[in-house]
Amino acid sequence: MEVDLPTERVLLSTASATKTIVLEPDMNGVLMTPEEFDAAEDYDENYRYELIHGVLVVSAIPLEASVGPNEMLGYWLLDYQQRHRQGSALNLTLPERYIRTRDSRRLADRVIWAGLGRLPNWRREHPTIAVEFVSARRRDRDRDYVDKRRDYMAIKIKEYWIIDRFRRTLTVIRYRPRRPQILVVSEKQIYTTPLLPGFKLRLARLLAVADMLDTPPDV
């Protein structure tokens, strides 16, 4: 179940930065610096935490219908890396990682580094590709389609994939200096990218995993 949390905005005192910060659901809406967010050493694992333009945003953990396709995508990427003759183009992929901007810490569902020819510094180097699986709530959808797109393009992430099980589409935002290029891939299409030569993302198979996990079976 997804939970709407209170949005009280409380300014953290300077003194609090010297103490251990524990992230908790009731901190949703707290004003926080990137340094304070990075210094947090503990958190309630039943929730997700993002710093968005200096404001802590707390949300429920993803549903199975989002996690399952993300796991499948990770499997395909690693299989491509290990078995495909051009798989060395993929340097690293990780689920649920923060993307750092000047005043935000965006939690991406999956990040991909490609074309570097080496293992990336995942704490300092922005990923080549960011992936989001859209949630049902309007606020989260707007965040994926509008806010994260703006932030990811501002730091020149080469591609941003928005996988939407509700619209049955994959929207790809490609960074361009003047204006991003937008591609919409339908359910029956296969997406390929020059960043991962030879890799084929079969959207219908990803959506089938989401459909399977959307409602648990009666036992």
Side-chain angles (χ1 to χ4, degrees):
M1 178 182 296
E2 296 186 343
V3 180
D4 284 318
L5 298 166
T7 58
E8 179 183 5
R9 297 167 64 91
V10 181
L11 179 62
L12 290 181
S13 67
T14 302
S16 69
T18 64
K19 300 178 182 179
T20 299
I21 298 175
V22 179
L23 301 180
E24 298 174 329
D26 59 5
M27 293 178 68
N28 186 64
V30 166
L31 297 178
M32 184 177 290
T33 67
E35 292 75 20
E36 288 172 328
F37 185 86
D38 293 341
E41 298 180 358
D42 197 8
Y43 56 92
D44 185 334
E45 296 182 352
N46 294 309
Y47 297 88
R48 289 162 45 118
Y49 305 87
E50 292 183 274
L51 185 67
I52 301 178
H53 306 306
V55 179
L56 181 68
V57 175
V58 185
S59 57
I61 60 174
L63 297 175
E64 290 78 4
S66 294
V67 175
N70 195 5
E71 290 291 305
M72 180 62 75
L73 177 58
Y75 169 77
W76 289 347
L77 287 165
L78 292 176
D79 185 67
Y80 161 79
Q81 183 187 51
Q82 297 297 319
R83 296 175 181 271
H84 196 278
R85 62 184 180 86
Q86 295 176 286
S88 60
L90 172 61
N91 306 122
L92 181 66
T93 181
L94 294 170
E96 296 287 325
R97 295 293 100 184
Y98 285 105
I99 296 177
R100 301 163 64 95
T101 68
R102 182 181 59 82
D103 62 354
S104 301
R105 299 294 183 264
R106 290 287 192 180
L107 186 59
D109 290 329
R110 179 165 295 278
V111 291
I112 300 167
W113 288 268
L116 301 177
R118 56 175 171 79
L119 189 67
N121 183 331
W122 53 87
R123 290 190 179 92
R124 295 184 179 275
E125 293 184 270
H126 293 140
T128 311
I129 302 169
V131 185
E132 299 290 349
F133 291 83
V134 175
S135 300
R137 292 192 301 178
R138 175 64 180 271
R139 183 179 65 184
D140 294 334
R141 295 172 64 86
D142 290 345
R143 189 177 302 156
D144 289 340
Y145 275 101
V146 180
D147 300 337
K148 288 189 175 182
R149 168 187 166 176
R150 179 184 60 243
D151 287 353
Y152 292 165
M153 292 300 102
I155 58 176
K156 301 180 181 180
I157 288 179
K158 291 185 178 180
E159 287 192 5
Y160 172 34
W161 300 354
I162 307 171
I163 299 171
D164 192 331
R165 62 188 173 94
F166 306 99
R167 295 180 180 177
R168 317 296 288 184
T169 58
L170 160 65
T171 301
V172 178
I173 316 294
R174 291 178 172 174
Y175 172 78
R176 297 290 185 271
R178 290 182 177 271
R179 179 181 298 177
Q181 178 187 15
I182 303 174
L183 304 174
V184 179
V185 180
S186 66
E187 181 173 1
K188 295 182 179 180
Q189 292 178 306
I190 297 175
Y191 177 65
T192 61
T193 170
L195 299 174
L196 299 170
F199 178 73
K200 296 181 179 181
L201 195 163
R202 293 174 169 83
L203 184 59
R205 291 179 60 185
L206 269 191
L207 295 177
V209 174
D211 294 342
M212 178 182 67
L213 296 174
D214 193 30
T215 304
D218 294 327
V219 177

